[in-house]
Amino acid sequence: MRHHLILRVVSKLLIPFILLFALYVQFHGDFGPGGGFQAGVIFATAFILYALIFGRETAARVVPPHVLQILLASGVLIYASVGVAGIVMGANFLDYSVLFGHGIEGQHIGINLIEFGVGTTVAAVMIMVFFMFTGRGR
């Protein structure tokens, strides 16, 4: 891919917009269609595009595999922590209404935390699967 100048330039222009769209989907998910899973896949798509154009080794330097493992575990931990916080505060697992005093504020913050955890985990898993498939035979 070193000689494909047009692909390199176009991808450098598109990747920031893809990441911005992923953030939009992430934080607009509680108001409309979208959320953590979709945002995680869109984010991973931008990263995979970067890896396809500029090479697997360059992409591995941007986000090393040990960072992906930390992100994966952090997303699951965020999800589980919000659920356990509901239990500790005397409600059911993933009952957000008890998180921050008022029911509506707790619902809003709780779903945003859950969606952020899901998005982080999905993006890390998708990128890790890409690294595993592209690293086969090496």
Side-chain angles (χ1 to χ4, degrees):
M1 284 288 179
R2 289 188 179 145
H3 303 294
H4 299 306
L5 181 63
I6 294 172
L7 287 177
R8 293 171 70 93
V9 170
V10 169
S11 67
K12 279 186 178 182
L13 291 173
L14 284 180
I15 288 173
F17 290 107
I18 294 171
L19 294 175
L20 185 65
F21 183 65
L23 288 174
Y24 169 77
V25 170
Q26 173 73 44
F27 293 113
H28 192 264
D30 57 336
F31 298 116
F37 186 86
Q38 294 87 345
V41 171
I42 294 168
F43 187 86
T45 302
F47 186 81
I48 291 169
L49 174 65
Y50 180 83
L52 289 173
I53 299 296
F54 296 100
R56 182 186 188 277
E57 291 77 21
T58 306
R61 283 194 301 260
V62 172
V63 180
H66 70 277
V67 172
L68 287 174
Q69 292 174 350
I70 292 170
L71 288 172
L72 193 148
S74 298
V76 172
L77 186 62
I78 290 169
Y79 188 95
S81 297
V82 172
V84 170
I87 292 174
V88 168
M89 297 177 129
N92 293 328
F93 186 74
L94 294 177
D95 185 5
Y96 316 128
S97 59
V98 297
L99 289 180
F100 290 98
H102 298 94
I104 305 240
E105 287 177 25
Q107 293 275 337
H108 185 69
I109 292 172
I111 196 66
N112 279 334
L113 288 172
I114 289 293
E115 294 295 337
F116 181 73
V118 169
T120 303
T121 302
V122 168
V125 166
M126 296 293 289
I127 295 168
M128 194 175 290
V129 166
F130 173 77
F131 275 153
M132 291 173 75
F133 277 125
T134 58
R136 289 179 45 189
R138 292 186 181 189

